[in-house]
Amino acid sequence: MVSYKELGLVNTREMFAKAVKGGYAIPAFNFNTMEQMQAIVQAAVETKSPVIMQVSKGARKYANPTILRYMAQGAVEYAKELGCANPQIVLHLDHGDSFETCKSCIDSGFSSVMIDGSSKPYEENIALTKQVVEYAHKYDVTVEAELGVLAGVEDEVAAEESHYTKPEEVIDFSTRTGCDSLAISIGTSHGAYKFKPEQCTRNAEGKLIPPPLAFDVLHAIEEKLPGFPIVLHGSSSVPQDEVDTINKFGGKLPDAVGIPEEQLREAAKSAVCKINIDSDSRLAMTAAIRQHFAEHPDHFDPRQYLTPARDNMKKMYIHKIVNVLGSNDKL
Ligand code: G3H
Ligand code: 13P
Ligand code: ZN
């Protein structure tokens, strides 16, 4: 058993309380590779932002759970080396699908876990979430739960349609489970294709304009649970300049569309205090690599193309922190 406290990590409790009060959101960036981890830490240190580094089941399979845990420990030391005396870094399990996975993460040094019972019937979601909360709280690990279904793919769970969170359920759910934060469904979804073209309108350049998020549902939830930390998954904005670069240099991402940043900024000012971003990092990395290969067909040293990839991700992370979530200067 390794406690996250020994690794210099923190849980989300204090971070979320400050974010809800301060009207900003903490960035939750997924990572699978060393370059993503380095870019996240560099961005967080330069902007003086707390940060959640999150690991999905797929990331654990890709990179190896032990390696990811040591990378998070390394992230804390790296932040200190970059001049941040007291980094606020959370290591979070994204979309935990069972008690066993959550327990294994808690036992190996995670400071926060998500148990995603959103695809289960209501009472089963409550029972599973409660079981994880009871274990996690013994070790002062915080727990995110989910109520409502996001369209798209959540690791291996795929849902054709989204079902907004029902505001009338949130008090019962949070009270009976004891969860520390609640992921809700208000129209976001995972991946780079968040809306079908027929759900959108098009602007003069032919780009898709998505329908707005259900802010009425968010406000109704906030009224039921004043000050309770709310989480938004599926919050990449799918920057069109990155999509254009990918398509220009041999990629094929037609009609990729995300959540407009103005709407995320508005959500961050409310009780939404954690905003999950993964796809935008993938796009930033891929755009830089595709461009690099097109311009330097003779390069084959991974450092040559991973350096611009890392720099482009860092630029994106800084932009999100400063211009969208507002978590800069909050350490
Ligand atoms: O919620 C989904 C995250 O973007 C993680 O994606 O399961 O492909 O690692 P992944
Ligand atoms: P995106 O696919 O919009 O980046 O969402 C990531 C996410 O919600 C991870 O849990
Ligand atoms: Zn998610």
Side-chain angles (χ1 to χ4, degrees), residues 31 41 49 55 86 97 135 143 190 192 226 228-229 232 241 270 306:
F31 78 108
V41 175
S49 173
V55 167
N86 289 305
D97 60 352
Y135 187 77
V143 179
H190 293 100
F228 193 82
L232 280 192
D241 55 339
S270 72
L306 290 176

Side-chain angles (χ1 to χ4, degrees), residues 221-276:
I221 292 169
E222 280 188 279
E223 262 176 39
K224 300 270 181 197
L225 292 177
F228 193 82
I230 301 297
V231 177
L232 280 192
H233 281 248
S235 296
S236 277
S237 52
V238 187
Q240 292 303 300
D241 55 339
E242 303 293 12
V243 173
D244 290 346
T245 302
I246 290 171
N247 289 338
K248 180 173 166 196
F249 294 109
K252 205 171 176 189
L253 299 179
D255 287 341
V257 65
I259 309 296
E261 289 184 337
E262 316 80 71
Q263 293 185 39
L264 296 170
R265 208 175 299 133
E266 192 181 331
K269 288 182 188 150
S270 72
V272 170
C273 64
K274 173 176 181 270
I275 291 193
N276 285 12

Side-chain angles (χ1 to χ4, degrees), residues 30 54 94-95 189-191 194 233-236 276-280:
N30 289 67
Q54 56 188 15
D94 191 27
H95 296 286
S189 63
H190 293 100
K194 299 198 183 297
H233 281 248
S235 296
S236 277
N276 285 12
I277 295 170
D278 187 0
S279 298
D280 285 354

Side-chain angles (χ1 to χ4, degrees), residues 93-112:
L93 169 68
D94 191 27
H95 296 286
D97 60 352
S98 67
F99 173 78
E100 290 70 29
T101 306
C102 292
K103 181 179 180 302
S104 144
C105 288
I106 294 164
D107 292 352
S108 69
F110 280 60
S111 56
S112 172

Side-chain angles (χ1 to χ4, degrees), residues 16-28:
F16 283 172
K18 280 167 76 177
V20 172
K21 254 196 190 158
Y24 60 93
I26 311 289

Side-chain angles (χ1 to χ4, degrees), residues 84-154:
C84 179
N86 289 305
Q88 299 276 297
I89 300 177
V90 173
L91 176 60
H92 175 77
L93 169 68
D94 191 27
H95 296 286
D97 60 352
S98 67
F99 173 78
E100 290 70 29
T101 306
C102 292
K103 181 179 180 302
S104 144
C105 288
I106 294 164
D107 292 352
S108 69
F110 280 60
S111 56
S112 172
V113 293
M114 173 187 193
I115 177 68
D116 181 357
S118 62
S119 61
K120 300 188 186 311
Y122 183 71
E123 288 298 329
E124 275 181 46
N125 188 0
I126 289 191
L128 179 60
T129 304
K130 192 167 182 280
Q131 187 188 13
V132 172
V133 169
E134 277 168 7
Y135 187 77
H137 282 184
K138 276 193 222 161
Y139 303 100
D140 205 16
V141 168
T142 39
V143 179
E144 175 184 323
E146 182 167 333
L147 198 50
V149 179
L150 272 68
V153 180
E154 296 193 352

